[in-house]
């Protein structure tokens, strides 16, 4: 039971049967217990939800990824790594696969305040989700090109439509003589009288002292460094095996091949060795 005590405080009966008096009287009698109780009452409750942004300076950001825009509010004291985690929760894009851009690549170990991120700033994000990586779609044009390439491999080059239209013109009247079954060094004069892919006349001049191949037509002469030629492809012309069709690959893909038709057979190996860097052995 509790009773009033001379207006000085309230006397309460505790569980162990002792009476405790509130106010200054109790403090004098039980100084240690009073101090502990005061500390307990003044403690700030601890949140079970982890660290919060309450009371921190916040900034509103516009996250732009894959043509999508997201609004995000985040503490200025959060780091670039924290920002990536928040972006992950918005987009599903793993932090390790994110490239976050704000006035350059955003560092993970610095706070947004240090990076001087401002309110309303646009944050560009580049990256693909794991599902996107696993479900990469090959463009139809690429698939068609690959199918055509496979089909072309199944038939001789001279039977392919793109080459047939040139070969059907027949052998040029002023073509250089050929010697089947022999190998000769390059002549001291240009190889002439041949056709190019458009059916025009073309001549090949090998400038060894300049390490260049000159491809000449009626309109112009292209001076090509031999070191820039990636590959040389050749095949005998069906029905005229003493002459070859030959391609010089001038770029990284086969689309850059420059085709020459009716190359005398005896010069084929010498041309390949010269262009690909073996001319010094002759």
């Amino acid at each position: 039971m509790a009773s009033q005590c001379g207006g000085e405080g309230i006397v309460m009966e505790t569980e162990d049967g002792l009476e405790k008096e509130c106010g200054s009287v109790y403090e004098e009698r039980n100084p240690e217990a009073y101090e502990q109780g005061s500390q307990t009452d003044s403690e700030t409750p601890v949140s079970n939800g982890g660290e919060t942004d309450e009371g921190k300076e916040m900034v509103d950001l516009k996250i732009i990824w894959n043509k999508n825009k997201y609004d995000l509010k985040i503490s200025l004291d959060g780091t670039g790594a924290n920002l990536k985690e928040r972006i992950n929760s918005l987009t599903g894009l793993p932090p390790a696969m994110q490239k976050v851009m704000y006035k350059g690549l955003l560092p993970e170990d610095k706070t947004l305040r240090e990076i001087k991120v401002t309110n309303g700033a646009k944050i560009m994000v580049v990256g693909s989700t794991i599902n996107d990586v696993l479900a990469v779609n090959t463009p139809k044009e690429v698939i068609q090109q690959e199918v055509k390439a496979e089909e072309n491999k199944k038939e001789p080059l001279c039977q392919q439509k793109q080459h047939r239209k040139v070969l059907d013109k027949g052998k040029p009247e002023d073509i250089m003589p050929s010697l089947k079954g022999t190998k000769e060094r390059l002549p001291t004069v240009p190889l002439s009288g041949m056709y190019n892919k458009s059916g025009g006349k073309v001549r090949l001049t090998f400038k060894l002292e300049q390490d260049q191949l000159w491809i000449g037509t009626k309109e112009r002469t292209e001076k090509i460094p031999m070191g820039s030629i990636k590959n040389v492809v050749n095949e005998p012309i069906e029905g005229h095996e003493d002459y070859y069709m030959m391609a010089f690959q001038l770029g990284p893909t086969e689309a850059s091949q420059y085709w020459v038709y009716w190359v005398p057979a005896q010069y084929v190996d010498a041309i390949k060795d010269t262009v690909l860097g073996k001319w010094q052995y002759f």
Side-chain angles (χ1 to χ4, degrees):
M1 299 290 293
S3 61
Q4 199 80 14
C5 184
E8 296 181 355
I10 299 176
V11 177
M12 297 178 293
E13 184 177 353
T14 63
E15 294 179 357
D16 55 6
L18 298 176
E19 291 184 355
K20 292 183 179 178
E21 185 177 3
C22 298
S24 60
V25 177
Y26 175 67
E27 180 181 359
E28 291 176 359
R29 295 177 181 177
N30 303 276
E32 294 182 0
Y34 184 84
E35 182 179 355
Q36 292 176 358
S38 300
Q39 290 177 352
T40 302
D41 293 340
S42 63
E43 287 179 356
T44 302
V46 178
S47 171
N48 292 325
E51 185 178 355
T52 67
D53 291 328
E54 185 177 353
K56 296 182 179 180
E57 186 177 358
M58 307 296 287
V59 64
D60 291 311
L61 304 178
K62 182 76 69 175
I63 308 298
I64 303 174
W65 171 69
N66 200 22
K67 297 183 180 180
N68 296 316
K69 296 181 180 180
Y70 305 86
D71 293 321
L72 175 63
K73 183 184 288 290
I74 188 171
S75 168
L76 269 176
D77 296 315
T79 63
N82 298 142
L83 177 58
K84 284 190 171 185
E85 292 291 344
R86 296 290 300 276
I87 292 173
N88 177 35
S89 65
L90 288 175
T91 65
L93 183 63
M97 302 180 72
Q98 295 177 23
K99 182 179 288 186
V100 182
M101 310 294 292
Y102 177 74
K103 298 180 180 178
L105 189 63
L106 187 139
E108 293 188 1
D109 57 343
K110 292 187 176 182
T111 67
L112 303 187
R113 190 186 303 277
E114 292 173 324
I115 304 169
K116 302 188 185 318
V117 174
T118 58
N119 196 54
K122 293 182 179 180
I123 306 295
M124 304 297 297
V125 180
V126 179
S128 301
T129 65
I130 295 177
N131 289 337
D132 290 337
V133 173
L134 296 177
V136 173
N137 293 320
T138 305
K140 291 182 179 180
E141 294 80 8
V142 175
I143 296 176
Q144 292 172 354
Q145 289 175 5
E146 291 177 349
V147 171
K148 278 188 176 181
E150 289 298 322
E151 291 175 350
N152 291 340
K153 290 178 182 178
K154 298 177 183 178
E155 60 179 344
L157 291 172
C158 61
Q159 293 297 326
Q160 294 175 21
K161 184 177 180 180
Q162 59 175 325
H163 303 303
R164 195 71 257 167
K165 64 181 181 180
V166 180
L167 296 175
D168 285 346
K169 294 181 64 174
K171 185 165 60 175
E173 295 181 358
D174 56 346
I175 192 68
M176 297 179 69
S178 65
L179 296 172
K180 185 179 179 181
T182 64
K183 296 181 181 181
E184 293 188 5
R185 298 175 60 176
L186 291 175
T188 56
V189 297
L191 294 176
S192 60
M194 301 168 291
Y195 288 140
N196 59 18
K197 194 172 182 179
S198 62
K201 287 295 184 67
V202 63
R203 65 184 178 276
L204 302 178
T205 305
F206 296 88
K207 294 288 186 177
L208 303 185
E209 67 280 3
Q210 301 175 34
D211 196 30
Q212 292 181 344
L213 168 62
W214 291 11
I215 301 178
T217 63
K218 183 178 179 181
E219 294 80 18
R220 62 183 180 274
T221 298
E222 299 285 348
K223 299 180 180 181
I224 303 169
M226 292 189 194
S228 68
I229 300 176
K230 309 300 182 184
N231 195 19
V232 178
V233 178
N234 62 273
E235 182 181 289
I237 298 174
E238 187 175 341
H240 301 273
E241 283 74 12
D242 49 344
Y243 287 96
Y244 278 65
M245 49 189 293
M246 176 174 284
F248 302 96
Q249 186 171 321
L250 307 180
T253 66
E254 292 183 358
S256 64
Q257 289 177 334
Y258 187 96
W259 283 95
V260 178
Y261 304 87
W262 302 101
V263 179
Q266 68 270 26
Y267 299 128
V268 170
D269 286 344
I271 292 173
K272 293 182 67 174
D273 290 342
T274 299
V275 171
L276 299 178
K278 300 180 181 179
W279 61 268
Q280 61 268 30
Y281 295 117
F282 280 84

